[in-house]
C-alpha cells in the first residue's frame, strides 16, 4: 500500500507508535517557531527543563503579536525572548520583520520537514510541503529540548482540485468553500492533502492561504505536494537547495475525498461569527461596511498586496470606510515599496500599519459600535476584533479591496479589467532583521533579561484519589480559546503574568466566573461540542488552572486545547451519552470518585452529582503516556519525575 504526502513525512520522522489512525505517535521535530504572545511562557518552560541548547535543526522566535507596546510589559517580554534566543541557539526575528507564518514560509520552512509552532496557524508552512502543526507552548519547549511531539495518527482527507480559478476569485475562496463543506468541527483528527490538476495553478503563498485556514477546520494540519511550483518559490527566495520533491504514491489510500472545481468557485465570505458560516458575496448582497482590514498570516503575501494595489490604483477609499493594510513581512513591504505598488495603496487613502498581526488579534483598529468589518483574516469570533457588537466578515483580498472603494460588500468579479500579476522571479532577500544566536562558546555569557511583568506560572498538582468540586460554568458548543482567555490590546501585554490574567477568564461568557472560582477554590466546567477551538494559546489552560479548574466535561474537544489541558493536569472528560449534558447544571456539587484509579486503569470516570443524587459516567481517552502525565499533574511534573 502506498503513502500519502503527509504519511511519507510521518514515516520518516516516526520515533514512537504505529501509523494507524487513532493511535498515538511520537514525531521527531526538525523546526520550531514561537511568537511573542505564547513565546514568553514557552521559553520560561524551556528554561525550567535545564537543557543548554536547542536540539532542533532550526528554531525561530518571532515578535509579531504584541507590537503595540502601550506600556513596558511587551517591550520587556521582547527583550526577554531576544536574550533567551541568543543564549539557547534560537534565531530571533525582530519586531517589524513580519508575521511569524509569513516570514517562516519565506525564509525557513522546508518541504519534507516537520515543524511545530506555539501558534495554531503554523500549518501555513504546509503550503511549501512541510508537515507543520500548531501546539501548546510546553510541547514546543519539549521539542526544542529534543523530545518528540505526540499526536493522534490522523486520518487523511484528499481534496481533489480540478480546473483553475477565474479572475478575482482567489485561494481564500477555496478554503472558505472547504469550511462551508466541512465546518469548524469537520477537520478534527484529520490531515487535509490538496492534490489534483488544479494544484499547479496555485503559487506557494496561495497554497499557504489554504493550509493556514485549515486550522479553522480543527484539522491537525493541511499540506500540498512539493513540486515544480515549490521549487520555483524556493529558488526565488534564494533557497533552491532546500527543495525536495514529495508527491503521494499512485496507490496512496485516503480515508475521505472531496472534489472542488476551482473554475466554478465564486467569491465567498464567512459571515459573523464563525469561519464556517460561509455564503457567496453575491448572495449576501451589498451590505454597508464601516471598516476593511487587509493582512494577517492568511492573506498578506506579495501576491495578495499586489492584487490589492492593482484594484486600489487610481481610486479612493469610500468616505464611510476605514481601510487598514498590514503587509505580512518586511520582504513584502520592501518589494511593494520598490515597485511603486505601495504608493498606489497610500494614494487611495489606505492606512498602512506595521508588518504584524495587528487588528487580527485585536491589537488596535477595533471597528465602531455595531460596525461591519470586512477582513482578510481567518477568525471572526464574536468580540475578537475588540468591539463586542461588531460584525466581522472574512473575505479575500480582492473582495476586501473593491468593497473598501464601493463602501458596500462587492463581488470583485463584477470589476471589468483584471491585471494578471506574475510571481516574482526573485524575491527581495535581506535577513538583516533576523538575529542569529550566540555561538556555543559564547552562549553561557549571555545574560537573560527578565522584566517585572514576568510572573511565575501555575503548576499542576498530582491527581488526587477523589476530586470534590462544583460546576461553576456551563457553556454551549464551539467555545473558542478567545472565550476562555480573551486577547486584544488591553489583555495581551500580560501574557507572562498569569495571576493578572485570571480576572479576564471567560469575561465574554460570564464576568463573575473568576470571582466564583476564587471563592470556591476549585471548579468544574461543563461544555458542549468542540470545546477550545481556535488558538493554541496555552493560557486557555494555564489561567483556568490558576483559578482552580480541575476538570472540563464536554461533548468533545478541539485537538490543541485538549493537549494543553492534559499538559497542565486538567482532566478533559467527555460525555459518553450526550444527553447527560442536560443532567448537570450550574452550581451542582460534584465528586469524581476514585478518579485517580480510573485514569490509571484507563476506565471511565464516575461523576457523582451531589445536588441531584445521580451518577453519570464520562470517558477520558488517554494514551499510556498521557495517563502518566495526568497522574503527575501535568507534563512539566511528569518530565521532572522522569529525569529523577
Ligand atoms: C490567534 O490567532 O488567536 C493567535 C493569537 O495567533 C493564537 C496564539 C495566541 O493566542 O497567542 C493562535 O492562533 O494560536
Ligand atoms: Fe497573528 Fe492573526 Fe495569524 Fe494569529 S491568526 S498568527 S493573530 S495574524
Amino acid at each position: 500500500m502506498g503513502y500519502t504526502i503527509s504519511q511519507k513525512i510521518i514515516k520518516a520522522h516516526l520515533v514512537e507508535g504505529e501509523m494507524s489512525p487513532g493511535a498515538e505517535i511520537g514525531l521527531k521535530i526538525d523546526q520550531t517557531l514561537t511568537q511573542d504572545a505564547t513565546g514568553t511562557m514557552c521559553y520560561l518552560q524551556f528554561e525550567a527543563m535545564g537543557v543548554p541548547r536547542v536540539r532542533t535543526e532550526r528554531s525561530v522566535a518571532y515578535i509579531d503579536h504584541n507590537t503595540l507596546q502601550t506600556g513596558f510589559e511587551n517591550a520587556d517580554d521582547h527583550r526577554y525572548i531576544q536574550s533567551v534566543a541568543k543564549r539557547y541557539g534560537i534565531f530571533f526575528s525582530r519586531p517589524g520583520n513580519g508575521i511569524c507564518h509569513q516570514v517562516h514560509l519565506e525564509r525557513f520552512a522546508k518541504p519534507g520537514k516537520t515543524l511545530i509552532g506555539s501558534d495554531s496557524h503554523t500549518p501555513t508552512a504546509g503550503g511549501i510541503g512541510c508537515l507543520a502543526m500548531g501546539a501548546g507552548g510546553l510541547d514546543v519547549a519539549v521539542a526544542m529540548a529534543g523530545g518528540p511531539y505526540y499526536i493522534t495518527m490522523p486520518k487523511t482527507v484528499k481534496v481533489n482540485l480540478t480546473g483553475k480559478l477565474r479572475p478575482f476569485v482567489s485561494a481564500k475562496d477555496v478554503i472558505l468553500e472547504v469550511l462551508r463543506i466541512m465546518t469548524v468541527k469537520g477537520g478534527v483528527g484529520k490531515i487535509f492533502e490538496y492534490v489534483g490538476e488544479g494544484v499547479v495553478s496555485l503559487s506557494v503563498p496561495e497554497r499557504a492561504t489554504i493550509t493556514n485556514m485549515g486550522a479553522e477546520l480543527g484539522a491537525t494540519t493541511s499540506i500540498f505536494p512539493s513540486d515544480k511550483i515549490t521549487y520555483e518559490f524556493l529558488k526565488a527566495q534564494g533557497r533552491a537547495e532546500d527543495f525536495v520533491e514529495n508527491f503521494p504514491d499512485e496507490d496512496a489510500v485516503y480515508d475521505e475525498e472531496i472534489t472542488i472545481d476551482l473554475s466554478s468557485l465564486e467569491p465567498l465570505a464567512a459571515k459573523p461569527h464563525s469561519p464556517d458560516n460561509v455564503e457567496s458575496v453575491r448572495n449576501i448582497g451589498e451590505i454597508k461596511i464601516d471598516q476593511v482590514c487587509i493582512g494577517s498570516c492568511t492573506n498578506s503575501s506579495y501576491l495578495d498586496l499586489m492584487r490589492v494595489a492593482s484594484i486600489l490604483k487610481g481610486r479612493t477609499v469610500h468616505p464611510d470606510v476605514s481601510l487598514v493594510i498590514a503587509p505580512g513581512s518586511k520582504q513584502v513591504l520592501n518589494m511593494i515599496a520598490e515597485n511603486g505598488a505601495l504608493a498606489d495603496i497610500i494614494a487611495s487613502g489606505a492606512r498602512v500599519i506595521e508588518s504584524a498581526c495587528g487588528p487580527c488579534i485585536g491589537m488596535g483598529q477595533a471597528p465602531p459600535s455595531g460596525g461591519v468589518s470586512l477582513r482578510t483574516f481567518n477568525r471572526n469570533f464574536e468580540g475578537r476584533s475588540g468591539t463586542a457588537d461588531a460584525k466581522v466578515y472574512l473575505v479575500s483580498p480582492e473582495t476586501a479591496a473593491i468593497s473598501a472603494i464601493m463602501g458596500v460588500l462587492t463581488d470583485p468579479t463584477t470589476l471589468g479589467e483584471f491585471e494578471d500579476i506574475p510571481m516574482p522571479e526573485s524575491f527581495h532577500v535581506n535577513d538583516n532583521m533576523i538575529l542569529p544566536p550566540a555561538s556555543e562558546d559564547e552562549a553561557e555569557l549571555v545574560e537573560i533579561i527578565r522584566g517585572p511583568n514576568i510572573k511565575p506560572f501555575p503548576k499542576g498538582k498530582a491527581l488526587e484519589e477523589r476530586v470534590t468540586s462544583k460546576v461553576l460554568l456551563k457553556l454551549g458548543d464551539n467555545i473558542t480559546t478567545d472565550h476562555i482567555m480573551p486577547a486584544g490590546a488591553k489583555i495581551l501585554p500580560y501574557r507572562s503574568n498569569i495571576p493578572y490574567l485570571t480576572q479576564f477568564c471567560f469575561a465574554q461568557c460570564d464576568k463573575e466566573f473568576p470571582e466564583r472560582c476564587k471563592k470556591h477554590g476549585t471548579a468544574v466546567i461543563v461544555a458542549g461540542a468542540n470545546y477550545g477551538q481556535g488558538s493554541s494559546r496555552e493560557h486557555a489552560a494555564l489561567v483556568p488552572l490558576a483559578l482552580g479548574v480541575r476538570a472540563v466535561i464536554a461533548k468533545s474537544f478541539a485537538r490543541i486545547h485538549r493537549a494543553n489541558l492534559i499538559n497542565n493536569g486538567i482532566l478533559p472528560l467527555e460525555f459518553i451519552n450526550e444527553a447527560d449534558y442536560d443532567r448537570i447544571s450550574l452550581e451542582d456539587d460534584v465528586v469524581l470518585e476514585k478518579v485517580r484509579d480510573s485514569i490509571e486503569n484507563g476506565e471511565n470516570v464516575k461523576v457523582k452529582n451531589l445536588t441531584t443524587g445521580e451518577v453519570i459516567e464520562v470517558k477520558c481517552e488517554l494514551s499510556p503516556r498521557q495517563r502518566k502525565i495526568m497522574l503527575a499533574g501535568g507534563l512539566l511534573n511528569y518530565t521532572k519525575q522522569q529525569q529523577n
Side-chain angles (χ1 to χ4, degrees):
M1 186 186 85
Y3 290 108
T4 70
I5 304 167
S6 54
Q7 284 166 359
K8 287 185 183 180
I9 305 178
I10 291 175
K11 189 162 172 276
H13 290 82
L14 194 70
V15 291
E16 246 179 272
E18 266 176 49
M19 288 175 60
S20 55
E24 187 179 64
I25 53 168
L27 294 176
K28 176 184 174 298
I29 296 302
D30 301 319
Q31 299 192 340
T32 64
L33 70 79
T34 59
Q35 37 91 336
D36 50 329
T38 53
T40 320
M41 207 45 76
C42 172
Y43 293 115
L44 287 170
Q45 288 161 333
F46 177 74
E47 281 191 285
M49 287 173 194
V51 177
R53 206 171 170 82
V54 292
R55 300 195 174 126
T56 45
E57 289 173 15
R58 176 69 87 232
S59 287
V60 191
Y62 293 90
I63 305 292
D64 53 0
H65 280 61
N66 296 326
T67 53
L68 216 52
Q69 293 172 222
T70 45
F72 66 91
E73 292 85 0
N74 292 159
D76 280 9
D77 284 358
H78 298 171
R79 200 169 51 176
Y80 165 71
I81 295 176
Q82 181 165 352
S83 62
V84 162
K86 192 167 178 192
R87 167 79 176 74
Y88 290 105
I90 300 152
F91 284 71
F92 179 75
S93 171
R94 299 167 64 187
N97 195 42
I99 305 173
C100 55
H101 308 303
Q102 175 65 26
V103 178
H104 207 80
L105 186 75
E106 292 167 358
R107 306 304 307 140
F108 295 112
K110 297 182 186 179
K113 296 284 182 184
T114 52
L115 160 73
I116 65 167
S118 60
D119 191 283
S120 62
H121 290 104
T122 305
T124 311
I128 206 167
C130 176
L131 189 78
M133 292 159 287
L138 191 47
D139 282 323
V140 176
V142 169
M144 286 192 291
Y149 176 54
Y150 293 91
I151 54 168
T152 305
M153 179 68 199
K155 292 186 176 163
T156 327
V157 183
K158 178 178 184 176
V159 187
N160 212 353
L161 300 181
T162 62
K164 193 171 180 299
L165 292 171
R166 290 180 297 134
F168 298 112
V169 184
S170 80
K172 182 61 155 282
D173 302 309
V174 178
I175 185 61
L176 288 174
E177 173 70 359
V178 180
L179 274 154
R180 189 185 66 75
I181 301 170
M182 304 290 294
T183 82
V184 292
K185 291 188 284 229
V188 179
K190 299 175 190 170
I191 293 184
F192 286 70
E193 290 195 8
Y194 291 83
V195 294
E197 78 193 35
V199 161
V200 288
S201 64
L202 298 169
S203 66
V204 166
E206 290 173 297
R207 295 173 179 188
T209 293
I210 295 172
T211 59
N212 168 284
M213 239 184 130
E216 275 53 65
L217 295 162
T220 304
T221 191
S222 307
I223 195 165
F224 273 80
S226 175
D227 58 5
K228 193 168 124 275
I229 307 287
T230 321
Y231 174 73
E232 274 159 19
F233 177 81
L234 281 165
K235 190 163 142 254
Q237 289 285 356
R239 304 203 281 131
E241 69 284 2
D242 290 345
F243 178 72
V244 290
E245 198 177 76
N246 190 3
F247 289 103
D249 288 331
E250 294 261 325
D251 55 346
V253 181
Y254 288 88
D255 300 286
E256 270 175 65
E257 183 169 342
I258 55 174
T259 296
I260 292 181
D261 176 10
L262 299 178
S263 329
S264 68
L265 278 187
E266 59 175 317
L268 300 172
K271 299 180 288 179
H273 299 285
S274 182
D276 62 0
N277 192 11
V278 174
E279 202 178 330
S280 72
V281 168
R282 194 167 40 93
N283 272 356
I284 300 171
E286 296 186 348
I287 50 170
K288 188 175 158 359
I289 57 179
D290 303 283
Q291 185 195 50
V292 174
C293 298
I294 297 174
S296 92
C297 55
T298 314
N299 275 128
S300 60
S301 68
Y302 169 82
L303 210 60
D304 284 333
L305 289 219
M306 286 302 292
R307 287 181 177 156
V308 166
S310 107
I311 294 174
L312 295 182
K313 189 174 180 166
R315 299 183 164 110
T316 300
V317 175
H318 190 275
D320 297 339
V321 175
S322 164
L323 169 62
V324 181
I325 301 184
S329 68
K330 167 169 156 284
Q331 182 182 76
V332 172
L333 185 52
N334 237 319
M335 287 178 70
I336 61 171
E338 274 169 0
N339 70 13
L342 182 61
D344 295 332
I345 290 175
I346 294 170
S348 74
R351 306 164 65 181
V352 180
I353 58 172
E354 84 176 304
S355 292
C357 299
C360 179
I361 193 56
M363 269 291 175
Q365 306 296 340
S369 294
V372 171
S373 177
L374 298 192
R375 301 180 159 209
T376 66
F377 307 167
N378 46 42
R379 293 186 173 145
N380 58 347
F381 304 146
E382 203 169 359
R384 180 173 159 107
S385 66
T387 302
D389 59 359
K391 294 181 223 35
V392 176
Y393 290 72
L394 306 175
V395 296
S396 70
E398 291 83 346
T399 303
I402 188 60
S403 302
I405 300 294
M406 306 304 285
V408 291
L409 179 67
T410 306
D411 180 340
T413 59
T414 57
L415 269 171
E417 61 313 3
F418 175 71
E419 196 188 336
D420 196 9
I421 294 152
M423 280 292 280
E425 270 171 32
S426 68
F427 287 92
H428 179 120
V429 176
N430 175 358
D431 290 332
N432 64 348
M433 293 288 277
I434 299 172
L435 306 181
S439 68
E440 260 176 80
D441 300 342
E442 287 165 2
E444 288 209 1
L445 303 173
V446 177
E447 188 204 343
I448 303 216
I449 312 169
R450 276 169 242 274
N453 187 39
I454 300 181
K455 297 278 185 295
F457 53 89
K459 313 243 164 37
K461 48 179 187 199
L463 186 60
E464 306 97 315
E465 283 310 327
R466 82 203 281 265
V467 171
T468 309
S469 191
K470 202 179 183 72
V471 177
L472 293 187
L473 195 61
K474 187 167 179 186
L475 305 153
D477 290 346
N478 293 324
I479 289 296
T480 72
T481 50
D482 278 282
H483 289 111
I484 308 171
M485 192 54 245
K490 292 197 195 83
I491 305 179
L492 263 190
Y494 298 95
R495 278 291 180 90
S496 47
N497 186 344
I498 304 288
Y500 182 84
L501 287 180
T502 53
Q503 61 185 303
F504 304 104
C505 192
F506 285 108
Q508 247 195 80
C509 309
D510 185 341
K511 281 205 169 50
E512 312 302 322
F513 174 70
E515 266 319 301
R516 281 204 299 277
C517 289
K518 283 175 191 162
K519 212 165 107 201
H520 198 262
T522 73
V524 166
I525 294 172
V526 173
N530 200 23
Y531 178 78
Q533 68 159 327
S535 150
S536 69
R537 62 188 71 148
E538 202 158 37
H539 299 75
L542 282 167
V543 174
L545 175 68
L547 283 170
V549 174
R550 307 304 315 277
V552 180
I553 314 176
K555 290 183 186 166
S556 65
F557 291 88
R559 179 186 73 93
I560 306 176
H561 185 62
R562 184 173 190 273
N564 285 340
L565 289 175
I566 297 169
N567 283 352
N568 287 288
I570 299 177
L571 287 159
L573 304 175
E574 258 171 78
F575 289 107
I576 298 169
N577 179 356
E578 286 203 359
D580 285 344
Y581 171 86
D582 298 319
R583 294 168 60 199
I584 183 159
S585 315
L586 188 65
E587 299 283 337
D588 281 359
D589 289 304
V590 290
V591 182
L592 312 179
E593 297 279 14
K594 295 197 183 131
V595 62
R596 195 178 165 88
D597 281 353
S598 314
I599 295 298
E600 202 159 8
N601 302 324
E603 290 160 3
N604 291 338
V605 174
K606 290 199 175 62
V607 182
K608 189 165 182 194
N609 188 334
L610 298 179
T611 309
T612 63
E614 291 182 320
V615 177
I616 56 172
E617 268 195 38
V618 294
K619 63 182 176 186
C620 189
E621 283 170 358
L622 301 172
S623 69
R625 184 190 65 93
Q626 288 173 325
R627 269 183 227 160
K628 290 186 204 140
I629 295 177
M630 245 359 283
L631 295 175
L635 182 56
L636 217 53
N637 294 348
Y638 170 67
T639 312
K640 281 193 197 138
Q641 270 177 15
Q642 278 200 316
Q643 280 165 353
N644 293 337

